[in-house]
Amino acid sequence: MRKWLLLVLSFALVMTLAACSSNKENEITGGANVEKLSDLKGTVRVALAGWKLENGIDPLTGNETTGLNDYLKATFNKMYPNIKLEVYQIPWENAKAKQSAMLLSKDVDVLYTGGAFASQWYQEGLLRDLDDLIGADPSFDPGIYLNGIMNNSYSTKSPDGTKQFGIPVALGRRMVVYDTKLFEDWGVEPLAKKPTPDEILEKAKKMTGKNPNTGEPNYGLYWSGNSLNGSTFVALTLAFGAKGAEGSLNDIKNIKWKLNTPEMAKVLEWLKQASLLPPKGFITAQGAENFGLDKNNIAIGIDQSGGSTMSEYLAKKDEGLLSRFEPVMNVGPEGEGWVAVDPFIMSKEAKDVKASWEVLKFLSGYETQKYLYMNFANTPTLNNADFVDKKDKFVQMALDIAAVGHSELMDEANPFFMSDIIPAVNGFISKAAAGSAPDIPTFLNDLQDRAEKWTANLK
């Protein structure tokens, strides 16, 4: 019997139909009663970036969400009654600094974090390889995860691809989504299935101003101008063939930087023009609170997830928004862009490795990914995510983009990319939005010079 089937059945065996829990627990488990799976004892300290621990309300749709605490009470705590969890909630804004400190002080065992952080911590020797745990556990099958994400991502594999240090649990959605209603209002042709940056810029300019039908102000374009990982910038470098660097993260001291090239100048010129089209708040990731909903006034969103539209649909079963907002591929030559992968990882100094592995395995597994999708519209990393709504075209588009994705040196796993390139590009965008964009050749020559000095200091 395949190991993935054993894993699914092991959970199913403890989820009998003798529903006797509270209404809330019944809701969480789908009416099933969860029973003990293991007597394993231990204490595991878990740091989760961005997770919601308490029940709450989706700020975009107003729908109720179930926090992790209630989910664990209804599931893990009954399956592993002798494993005590100490859960720490870390805001994304401070995730790298706080989780780095926890790893260095040996105050954490299991972490959910950004892929770039995980990659850098692994290279710094702060994380534990998982290969021995995977090999010794017949209930765990790496084959249940998307192969490209499990085996070919800097977020889960060592730079040379030989060691597994992370298990993927959430896939970032970085797609272009456009509002067909606004396109019709303005008489603009729909976007192509694989739009180019020039097509997006041209059509966005046409739809910035007073809507000819409603008289309301419209914005042609939106993306997050202070993105921590520069995902829009990365997709543009792919589209314009601006490699940025040559070499390998395995040999970072010998990377040859290519930042002041004509192709990179085209990326900056696109950003300069595009920065005048979104709501002003985009430079602090504000201004698109209604994108994907009835009150939307933005024609094209880059690096969107479709999450707000799907949450509204799942709550009200109104297909109006589903037909109004249309996802298309990202702007790379094959429709690719940067694909974010958030993994679970284990500290090299984990106190109780056996208990930590059970926790890591549960939190990255099928049931937890189902919980995250149903409550927070997270994109699963599973081959058979049968809980995804058949009408969720946004998840399918995200998977299509992931299928043509590939790793480049313009990636959050690159230390200089994160420490210098992205802050510099975000600064450029902020000044461009204010109408005072830096001189592009001077900006890129300065960035190239800083990159070369950074590399020289490594030797």
Side-chain angles (χ1 to χ4, degrees), residues 284-430:
T284 56
Q286 304 296 312
E289 290 76 11
N290 290 320
F291 189 76
L293 303 175
D294 275 333
K295 295 180 180 178
N296 174 57
N297 61 354
I298 297 170
I300 303 170
I302 298 179
D303 280 354
Q304 297 298 308
S305 70
S308 58
T309 302
M310 274 309 299
S311 293
E312 188 77 352
Y313 164 72
L314 290 172
K316 301 177 181 176
K317 301 302 180 186
D318 180 355
E319 296 188 19
L321 289 180
L322 278 183
S323 59
R324 176 175 167 178
F325 291 94
E326 191 66 29
V328 294
M329 298 289 279
N330 214 315
V331 297
E334 299 299 325
E336 71 269 46
W338 179 71
V339 178
V341 180
D342 292 341
F344 267 101
I345 52 180
M346 188 184 299
S347 168
K348 195 164 189 176
E349 304 294 339
K351 284 187 175 180
D352 188 332
V353 172
K354 286 186 177 179
S356 295
W357 172 241
E358 292 301 322
V359 173
L360 190 157
K361 190 171 59 174
F362 175 82
L363 289 176
S364 60
Y366 174 92
E367 290 296 332
T368 302
Q369 292 206 28
K370 178 180 179 181
Y371 153 76
L372 292 171
Y373 173 78
M374 299 303 293
N375 285 274
F376 306 107
N378 282 21
T379 304
T381 60
L382 305 168
N383 283 317
N384 184 28
D386 54 3
F387 48 81
V388 173
D389 192 293
K390 302 300 181 188
K391 295 183 181 297
D392 195 340
K393 56 187 177 183
F394 303 106
V395 164
Q396 186 55 56
M397 184 59 68
L399 297 176
D400 289 346
I401 292 171
V404 294
H406 46 84
S407 296
E408 300 286 347
L409 285 174
M410 292 295 98
D411 185 282
E412 63 177 7
N414 180 338
F416 187 76
F417 177 82
M418 289 295 285
S419 66
D420 287 67
I421 294 178
I422 289 307
V425 170
N426 286 345
F428 177 93
I429 292 169
S430 178

Side-chain angles (χ1 to χ4, degrees), residues 149-150 153-158 163-168 341 343:
I149 303 301
M150 184 73 174
S153 171
Y154 288 138
S155 303
T156 56
K157 281 280 193 177
S158 58
K163 301 291 185 181
Q164 189 86 38
F165 66 82
I167 305 298
V341 180

Side-chain angles (χ1 to χ4, degrees), residues 127-146:
L127 304 184
R128 189 190 192 285
D129 290 330
L130 303 176
D131 300 279
D132 59 330
L133 298 171
I134 293 172
D137 188 345
S139 73
F140 181 83
D141 181 7
I144 69 170
Y145 298 92
L146 293 164

Side-chain angles (χ1 to χ4, degrees), residues 197-220:
D198 287 343
E199 180 191 357
I200 289 174
L201 192 59
E202 176 190 348
K203 292 180 176 176
K205 288 179 177 177
K206 291 179 179 177
M207 293 179 282
T208 298
K210 185 179 292 185
N211 186 302
N213 279 357
T214 67
E216 298 293 326
N218 281 177
Y219 300 93

